[in-house]
Amino acid sequence: MFKYGNSGFVKREFSKHSSLLKEEIDKISKTKMYQNPRGFVNLPADSKYVNRVKAVIREKQKLNPSLVVVIGIGGSNLGAQAVVEAVFGKKQINLNPKILFADTVDPDDLKPCLGIAEKILKADKNIILNVISKSGTTTETIANFEIFLDLLSKYKIPTPYVVVTSDKDSKLWAYGKKHRFSLLEVPKNVGGRFSVFSAVGLFPLGMLGIDLDDFLLGAKDMVKNCLNKSLLDNPAAVNAFVIYQNFLNNKIIYDTFLFSKDLEYLGKWYRQLLGESIGKNSKVGITPTVSIGTIDLHSVAQLYLAGPDDKLTNFVKTRFNAEISLPKIKEFDKLVKNIQGIKLSKIMDAVYKGTILAFKKHKRSFTETVLPDKTPYSIAAFMQWKMIEIVLLARLLNVNAFNQPNVESYKKETRKLLRK
Amino acid sequence: MFKYGNSGFVKREFSKHSSLLKEEIDKISKTKMYQNPRGFVNLPADSKYVNRVKAVIREKQKLNPSLVVVIGIGGSNLGAQAVVEAVFGKKQINLNPKILFADTVDPDDLKPCLGIAEKILKADKNIILNVISKSGTTTETIANFEIFLDLLSKYKIPTPYVVVTSDKDSKLWAYGKKHRFSLLEVPKNVGGRFSVFSAVGLFPLGMLGIDLDDFLLGAKDMVKNCLNKSLLDNPAAVNAFVIYQNFLNNKIIYDTFLFSKDLEYLGKWYRQLLGESIGKNSKVGITPTVSIGTIDLHSVAQLYLAGPDDKLTNFVKTRFNAEISLPKIKEFDKLVKNIQGIKLSKIMDAVYKGTILAFKKHKRSFTETVLPDKTPYSIAAFMQWKMIEIVLLARLLNVNAFNQPNVESYKKETRKLLRK
């Protein structure tokens, strides 16, 4: 799945860091349940927890909803959205139930979402509201929840249609309990950006009919690979080290260059994971960027190939579900040679390989990830790999992967302004 | 429209560069028609050219199309897509005709597009294909054009439904002429990323009913502001200088942080403009990033506020079209204070201001752009401002804004691979 082509990986250097990496892997392995933030790795195998989520999914599926509205922002929605787009495609045609992510208080974004929801309610069909906030006090989430709840209440008694996903002792939890909404717990020590295998991801994904066992198996299998103490066979350890070494070598930007439009949100999910976990002080922080092939070759390739050598690129290549062949129109051969009658995936592949060769020629640092396909299994494996990688990278860089001490800063100012 | 809050702008330093800036502004001003790449500034006032585009729009509107398919990549589609999303919203509900951008050969992206087009053709409704390639030899574009043309031909004689936008002497142009498709010229010296006011942008936007006069007026008015020789009142000159000074000061990342989801593609359009125009060699290149408020405050704020101080951020704030008020549910006051009954735009505004204050507190470099609204006029003004800014910035950095010499690199490798 992972290749470390042109990333300057040196086994000897890697070995020097092995005790540190092993120590952290040991810590992760020994974490019982959710006793500390490393416990996120235990979610996929926590069958008691998963069964509780599944039970709620079964209960809500019986209501035969036409729409699931996920109300959450950042870690509360990026993971599920990434999986939905990867598995069902960015355009999500013919999805039943449909899904909407209400992830900001931008009224021009919310208005059409409300329109869709109201149309469904008017037709006497059902919607499920899934409000997700670990703290239960995220301004955007609570605001949107109120608006959707208000809409729903105009058409139905909301009790069976609302699912609250939150910390067990949050005020939102208490509110949900009082109103007899369904309650799904996010274990206290599981941080938002590490929560995709908790109810945060599982409930919406299960509602859309994604096979959660398959999804969780991808994560479990990857846990095995990544807690492997033969470090050279451990993709999380090796990649954490590659990013670390490149960062020391002034590759302060990490670009996830996905050759698949449907994976853009997987890139955005990882962007949060890297940005927030590692960006801790003036000396430590890597700016994550997301590029999409082949589109962005026509937008930033000039900069990436010839500009300042400040990036490490992780190319991600995958298999496509659809197959489309070009017609054979001889006349077009004059415009672009050698593509008549061939498959689009073959063109994608040629552009991918051409890009790799150009990066090599320009001596740009990159790694390659081959994602076998866009099934829930593979996407989950990718996510689990990346989460463990980030924990190891944080250890190498000696920062706390699990907090975000400076985010409070704008929130405090915002609260002051709202008081006026 | 533009504020230079915390960007370290020093008038005296600016004055030192005034002769260089004036010289370039002079060059832009004196460019007759399209005699050199600076000629893009002349497009909005070129009524003869615009009228030709309008005539084709009127002709195609008579066919009463249900769908416009824009086939193009990079500079050939980002501009129009940015305007469409800004004006009609990212979700583009109830748009008639609808618009699709076929901008890559990813089969999983193209398949649903083809499905939509075929459904329309089957219902005996019309689609317009607008294929856009300056060179006429862009692999992705030609491939997609063939596929859509093939589909269209199964239902109709394609002649009146195809519009070719290209250089007048490209092979695509010759092909279009032979088949009696409508032809729209992109002036030879107008580069892709500077072409939004040519037929590249105007045709699709006009087809959707956008008032092109209003759109072009925004651009024309901005030309006046930006070719102003009172440099301190020239937003392009001042902002080019701010970016330049910050770059010298190691702000090697330029983040466009838009507090509006509908403006994400405007950010992506600018990303190409900055990346490709300025990223010229190992010493000169600024990595453009795009962030969306309030979403990305929950994803990268930690990094932006406290991580390495290597970014200049341009916050973009705008007015929303919709207005949504929160219900007054007293109980919710326990979860988030002071938002009961208020408008979402007021929350957006408080978060925006809170973010600005936090950036100040953390001594992060930023500028502010107030986009009065998301009308065609304002979006065009923004785009024209940014294009002139980039030309001036390139001059300060002593690079050629108009070429992309290293992009050929991956294309060459790709062609070799396709030959096999």
Side-chain angles (χ1 to χ4, degrees):
Chain A
M1 192 169 180
F2 319 113
K3 299 195 227 171
Y4 304 95
N6 208 43
S7 58
F9 179 72
V10 179
K11 224 194 254 187
R12 212 178 37 205
E13 288 298 318
F14 182 57
S15 301
K16 282 186 200 161
H17 294 75
S18 66
S19 64
L20 197 62
L21 287 165
K22 277 183 184 163
E23 206 182 283
E24 181 62 35
I25 290 168
D26 206 46
K27 269 195 194 171
I28 300 173
S29 309
K30 284 187 180 149
T31 302
K32 295 267 174 290
M33 297 305 284
Y34 312 107
Q35 62 180 190
N36 72 53
R38 292 172 187 85
F40 73 88
V41 293
N42 297 323
L43 283 163
D46 185 349
S47 54
K48 201 176 142 198
Y49 178 82
V50 172
N51 285 335
R52 161 81 186 129
V53 180
K54 282 182 179 170
V56 178
I57 291 169
R58 275 194 305 273
E59 191 189 309
K60 301 307 164 194
Q61 278 177 334
K62 278 186 199 145
L63 297 168
N64 197 23
S66 301
L67 175 70
V68 177
V69 180
V70 175
I71 304 166
I73 191 164
S76 296
N77 92 313
L78 284 170
Q81 198 165 352
V83 180
V84 169
E85 295 202 357
V87 173
F88 298 110
K90 215 179 174 67
K91 293 201 167 62
Q92 295 163 46
I93 307 255
N94 300 330
L95 196 59
N96 183 30
K98 293 192 185 306
I99 190 161
L100 280 177
F101 294 92
D103 61 356
T104 177
V105 282
D106 180 335
D108 289 348
D109 182 63
L110 205 67
K111 193 92 176 183
C113 295
L114 285 169
I116 293 166
E118 181 146 31
K119 210 170 150 188
I120 286 169
L121 291 168
K122 266 191 183 149
D124 205 27
K125 290 175 180 174
N126 292 333
I127 65 174
I128 297 290
L129 299 187
N130 180 206
V131 57
I132 307 175
S133 170
K134 262 187 61 74
S135 67
T137 57
T138 312
T139 306
E140 292 93 325
T141 303
I142 299 304
N144 284 344
F145 180 40
E146 289 193 51
I147 290 170
F148 273 101
L149 188 63
D150 191 49
L151 175 67
L152 180 65
S153 306
K154 282 180 189 147
Y155 292 84
K156 309 189 183 248
I157 294 164
T159 321
Y161 302 103
V162 179
V163 179
V164 173
T165 305
S166 187
D167 267 1
K168 217 168 182 164
D169 57 3
S170 79
K171 286 174 183 165
L172 177 63
W173 181 278
Y175 172 88
K177 199 168 183 179
K178 186 177 156 196
H179 291 267
R180 291 176 298 120
F181 297 146
S182 297
L183 297 165
L184 289 171
E185 186 189 354
V186 189
K188 200 169 177 56
N189 270 324
V190 172
R193 57 189 178 274
F194 294 92
S195 70
V196 66
F197 299 121
S198 77
V200 170
L202 297 181
F203 178 75
L205 297 175
M207 282 303 294
L208 300 188
I210 283 180
D211 181 337
L212 295 185
D213 293 327
D214 190 47
F215 182 63
L216 292 168
L217 187 62
K220 277 189 275 194
D221 284 353
M222 188 52 77
V223 170
K224 276 182 222 155
N225 290 335
C226 292
L227 299 186
N228 192 332
K229 281 185 199 157
S230 158
L231 281 191
L232 274 170
D233 300 324
N234 180 329
V238 177
N239 205 33
F241 181 73
V242 166
I243 299 172
Y244 169 71
Q245 281 279 299
N246 275 277
F247 174 66
L248 296 186
N249 205 10
N250 287 319
K251 306 293 185 286
I252 53 153
I253 296 168
Y254 186 65
D255 188 45
T256 303
F257 203 138
L258 307 128
F259 271 66
S260 162
K261 227 172 162 178
D262 294 343
L263 296 183
E264 184 177 13
Y265 254 86
L266 191 64
K268 287 188 178 183
W269 168 84
Y270 179 66
R271 173 170 169 256
Q272 178 192 19
L273 186 67
L274 175 62
E276 207 161 60
S277 305
I278 301 300
K280 288 296 149 73
N281 60 59
S282 64
K283 299 257 181 278
V284 181
I286 299 171
T287 299
T289 54
V290 182
S291 304
I292 305 298
T294 69
I295 301 172
D296 286 327
L297 292 169
H298 296 259
S299 119
V300 283
Q302 168 62 34
L303 172 71
Y304 288 3
L305 285 168
D309 194 11
D310 52 8
K311 293 169 192 70
L312 170 64
T313 300
N314 180 31
F315 288 105
V316 181
K317 187 189 151 147
T318 189
R319 199 154 57 87
F320 302 103
N321 300 313
E323 195 58 282
I324 298 171
S325 290
L326 261 78
K328 284 189 188 170
I329 308 177
K330 222 182 160 186
E331 210 183 345
F332 274 104
D333 216 32
K334 283 184 215 157
L335 303 177
V336 179
K337 276 201 169 59
N338 305 311
I339 60 169
Q340 294 316 308
I342 75 171
K343 289 172 180 159
L344 284 192
S345 57
K346 211 186 152 186
I347 301 180
M348 284 293 284
D349 205 50
V351 179
Y352 179 83
K353 285 180 184 150
T355 305
I356 295 290
L357 289 169
F359 266 63
K360 273 186 188 159
K361 206 180 119 195
H362 286 265
K363 297 197 168 63
R364 300 285 147 156
S365 295
F366 67 87
T367 57
E368 287 184 82
T369 299
V370 181
L371 196 66
D373 49 46
K374 298 181 282 182
T375 57
Y377 178 93
S378 297
I379 301 296
F382 181 91
M383 291 174 124
Q384 190 67 291
W385 169 50
K386 284 286 167 183
M387 289 191 283
I388 299 174
E389 165 207 298
I390 287 292
V391 177
L392 297 176
L393 176 59
R395 182 60 180 264
L396 290 170
L397 288 165
N398 198 25
V399 293
N400 181 345
F402 303 108
N403 66 358
Q404 50 281 338
N406 303 96
V407 173
E408 199 45 38
S409 186
Y410 85 84
K411 290 187 181 170
K412 215 186 292 172
E413 301 297 341
T414 303
R415 279 193 295 266
K416 265 191 245 166
L417 289 161
L418 282 168
R419 225 177 289 149
K420 282 176 193 167
Chain B
M1 191 169 180
F2 321 113
K3 299 196 227 170
Y4 305 96
N6 209 42
S7 58
F9 179 73
V10 180
K11 225 194 254 185
R12 211 177 37 204
E13 288 299 316
F14 182 56
S15 301
K16 281 187 201 160
H17 293 75
S18 66
S19 63
L20 197 63
L21 287 166
K22 277 184 182 161
E23 206 182 282
E24 181 61 34
I25 289 168
D26 206 45
K27 270 195 194 171
I28 301 173
S29 309
K30 285 189 178 147
T31 301
K32 295 266 173 293
M33 299 306 284
Y34 312 108
Q35 62 180 189
N36 73 54
R38 292 173 187 87
F40 73 88
V41 291
N42 296 322
L43 282 162
D46 184 350
S47 55
K48 202 176 140 197
Y49 177 82
V50 172
N51 285 335
R52 161 82 186 130
V53 180
K54 282 183 180 170
V56 178
I57 292 169
R58 275 194 303 272
E59 192 189 309
K60 302 306 165 195
Q61 279 177 333
K62 279 186 197 144
L63 297 167
N64 197 21
S66 300
L67 176 69
V68 177
V69 180
V70 175
I71 304 167
I73 191 165
S76 295
N77 92 312
L78 285 170
Q81 199 165 350
V83 180
V84 168
E85 294 201 359
V87 173
F88 298 110
K90 215 179 174 67
K91 292 200 169 63
Q92 294 161 45
I93 307 254
N94 299 332
L95 196 58
N96 183 30
K98 291 192 184 306
I99 190 162
L100 280 177
F101 293 93
D103 61 355
T104 176
V105 283
D106 179 335
D108 289 349
D109 181 64
L110 205 66
K111 194 90 175 183
C113 294
L114 284 169
I116 293 166
E118 182 148 29
K119 210 171 152 187
I120 284 169
L121 290 168
K122 266 190 183 150
D124 206 26
K125 290 177 180 171
N126 293 333
I127 65 173
I128 297 289
L129 298 187
N130 179 207
V131 56
I132 307 175
S133 169
K134 261 188 62 75
S135 67
T137 57
T138 311
T139 306
E140 292 93 325
T141 303
I142 299 302
N144 284 345
F145 180 40
E146 289 193 50
I147 290 169
F148 273 101
L149 189 62
D150 191 49
L151 175 67
L152 180 65
S153 305
K154 281 179 189 147
Y155 292 85
K156 309 191 184 244
I157 295 165
T159 320
Y161 303 102
V162 179
V163 179
V164 172
T165 305
S166 188
D167 267 1
K168 215 168 183 167
D169 57 3
S170 80
K171 286 174 183 165
L172 178 62
W173 182 277
Y175 173 88
K177 200 167 182 181
K178 186 177 155 195
H179 291 267
R180 290 177 296 124
F181 296 146
S182 297
L183 298 165
L184 289 171
E185 187 189 354
V186 189
K188 201 172 176 52
N189 270 324
V190 172
R193 57 189 177 273
F194 294 93
S195 70
V196 66
F197 298 121
S198 78
V200 170
L202 296 183
F203 178 74
L205 296 175
M207 283 304 293
L208 301 188
I210 283 181
D211 182 337
L212 296 185
D213 293 326
D214 189 47
F215 182 62
L216 292 168
L217 186 64
K220 277 189 275 193
D221 284 352
M222 188 52 78
V223 169
K224 276 183 224 155
N225 290 336
C226 292
L227 299 185
N228 192 331
K229 281 184 197 160
S230 158
L231 282 190
L232 275 171
D233 299 326
N234 179 330
V238 177
N239 204 32
F241 181 74
V242 166
I243 299 172
Y244 169 71
Q245 282 278 299
N246 276 277
F247 174 67
L248 296 186
N249 205 10
N250 286 320
K251 306 294 186 284
I252 53 151
I253 296 167
Y254 186 66
D255 188 44
T256 304
F257 204 137
L258 307 128
F259 271 65
S260 162
K261 228 174 164 177
D262 294 343
L263 296 183
E264 184 177 12
Y265 255 85
L266 190 65
K268 287 189 178 184
W269 169 84
Y270 179 68
R271 174 169 169 256
Q272 177 193 19
L273 186 68
L274 175 63
E276 208 161 59
S277 305
I278 302 300
K280 287 296 148 73
N281 59 60
S282 64
K283 300 257 180 279
V284 181
I286 299 171
T287 298
T289 54
V290 181
S291 304
I292 304 297
T294 69
I295 299 172
D296 287 327
L297 293 168
H298 297 258
S299 120
V300 283
Q302 169 62 34
L303 172 70
Y304 289 3
L305 285 169
D309 194 10
D310 53 8
K311 293 170 193 69
L312 170 63
T313 300
N314 180 31
F315 289 106
V316 180
K317 185 189 153 149
T318 189
R319 199 155 57 90
F320 302 103
N321 300 312
E323 196 58 281
I324 298 171
S325 289
L326 262 78
K328 284 188 187 172
I329 307 178
K330 220 181 159 186
E331 211 182 346
F332 274 104
D333 215 33
K334 282 182 214 158
L335 302 177
V336 179
K337 276 202 169 62
N338 304 311
I339 61 169
Q340 295 316 308
I342 75 170
K343 289 171 182 161
L344 284 192
S345 57
K346 208 185 154 188
I347 300 180
M348 284 293 284
D349 204 50
V351 179
Y352 179 84
K353 285 180 184 149
T355 305
I356 295 289
L357 288 169
F359 265 63
K360 273 186 189 157
K361 206 179 121 192
H362 286 266
K363 297 196 170 60
R364 299 286 147 155
S365 294
F366 68 87
T367 57
E368 286 184 82
T369 299
V370 181
L371 195 66
D373 49 45
K374 298 181 281 183
T375 58
Y377 178 93
S378 297
I379 301 297
F382 181 90
M383 292 174 125
Q384 190 69 291
W385 168 50
K386 284 286 167 184
M387 289 192 283
I388 299 174
E389 165 208 297
I390 287 293
V391 177
L392 297 177
L393 176 60
R395 181 62 179 265
L396 290 170
L397 288 164
N398 198 25
V399 293
N400 181 344
F402 302 107
N403 66 359
Q404 51 281 338
N406 302 97
V407 173
E408 200 44 39
S409 186
Y410 84 84
K411 290 187 181 170
K412 216 187 291 174
E413 300 296 342
T414 303
R415 280 194 293 267
K416 265 192 246 168
L417 290 161
L418 282 169
R419 226 178 288 149
K420 282 176 192 165

